[in-house]
């Protein structure tokens, strides 16, 4: 059974700095039509840095929409034309956490909001870490938190890390390390 919905028409509802809201009319698999409202997002990269001793760094950050602090993987959205996902991960790791990495291993992608957005987040494991120069955006306030990766993974499994991209990235990083025989 083909489940594809085909766009008949599309109109902008709101064009913001980051997000663009659209209203589409679609043809359903059964031939009927329906409306779809969705958010167009430029995409992002998120990275789990891993020190040789097994530590990682997450960022404590206040997020306005849910009005609370979260522990998150360093991450950011695409805002430079043609920027590659790995380059974005490297840039955000240094800007937000003050860390440079020699290698970035792709862990996969995740679509965090499939019911209302096309956002895709590219996930990476960063190794060969050294000090970089932190320089978060003027309106961005983050506090790096260094901890053992195993502790961060357990926090994700226990429901103490609530950011979905971070949970997915931590679990995929751990699975990658397990597959190569490391903890």
């Amino acid at each position: 059974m083909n489940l594809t919905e085909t766009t008949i028409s599309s109109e902008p509802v709101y064009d913001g700095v980051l997000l663009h809201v659209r209203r589409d009319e679609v043809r359903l698999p059964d031939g009927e039509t329906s409306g779809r409202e969705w958010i167009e997002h430029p995409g992002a990269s998120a990275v789990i840095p891993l020190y040789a001793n097994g530590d990682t760094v997450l960022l404590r950050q206040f997020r306005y929409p849910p009005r609370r602090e979260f522990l998150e993987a360093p991450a950011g959205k695409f805002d430079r034309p043609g920027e590659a996902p790995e380059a974005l991960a490297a840039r955000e790791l240094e800007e937000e956490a003050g860390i440079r990495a020699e290698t970035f291993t792709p862990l996969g992608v995740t679509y965090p909001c499939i019911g209302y957005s096309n956002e895709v987040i590219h996930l990476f494991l960063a190794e060969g870490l050294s000090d970089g120069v932190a320089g978060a955006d003027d309106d961005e306030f983050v506090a790096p938190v260094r901890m053992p990766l195993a502790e961060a993974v357990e926090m994700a499994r226990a429901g103490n890390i609530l950011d979905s991209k971070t949970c997915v990235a931590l679990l995929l990083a751990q699975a990658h390390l397990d597959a190569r025989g490391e903890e």
Side-chain angles (χ1 to χ4, degrees):
M1 177 180 200
N2 182 356
L3 301 175
T4 304
E5 297 178 3
T6 306
T7 305
I8 297 169
S9 64
S10 184
E11 66 177 315
V13 174
Y14 171 78
D15 282 322
V17 175
L18 168 63
L19 303 176
H20 307 285
V21 179
R22 307 205 53 87
R23 182 179 301 118
D24 293 2
E25 183 180 2
V26 300
R27 182 155 324 282
L28 301 171
D30 67 0
E32 297 296 316
T33 62
S34 187
R36 298 287 184 254
E37 292 179 348
W38 60 283
I39 298 170
E40 188 174 10
H41 188 283
S45 285
V47 58
I48 300 296
L50 182 65
Y51 286 95
N53 73 348
D55 281 359
T56 191
V57 171
L58 298 178
L59 305 174
R60 191 168 52 82
Q61 184 171 7
F62 181 85
R63 292 298 192 165
Y64 184 78
R67 312 265 194 309
R68 60 169 292 163
E69 288 184 4
F70 290 86
L71 272 179
E72 302 179 45
K77 66 177 177 61
F78 288 102
D79 57 11
R80 296 179 181 174
E83 188 170 30
E86 183 178 313
L88 173 57
R91 176 169 56 88
E92 290 297 329
L93 181 60
E94 184 165 12
E95 285 180 4
E96 293 187 336
I99 298 170
R100 289 187 180 140
E102 291 177 12
T103 62
F104 288 84
T105 302
L107 298 172
V109 299
T110 186
Y111 288 81
C113 313
I114 59 174
Y116 59 87
S117 177
N118 68 344
E119 179 181 9
V120 60
I121 303 175
H122 303 265
L123 306 173
F124 294 91
L125 175 66
E127 297 174 280
L129 306 183
S130 61
D131 290 340
V133 179
D137 295 336
D138 291 341
D139 64 347
E140 185 175 47
F141 298 90
V142 298
V145 178
R146 187 168 171 163
M147 68 178 69
L149 176 65
E151 181 182 333
V153 169
E154 184 51 39
M155 290 175 70
R157 286 183 176 141
N160 296 320
I161 293 179
L162 301 175
D163 174 57
S164 65
K165 74 178 175 305
T166 302
C167 289
V168 171
L170 285 168
L171 296 174
L172 288 174
Q174 186 62 61
H176 175 78
L177 295 171
D178 290 347
R180 69 179 202 203
E182 299 179 30
E183 287 192 31

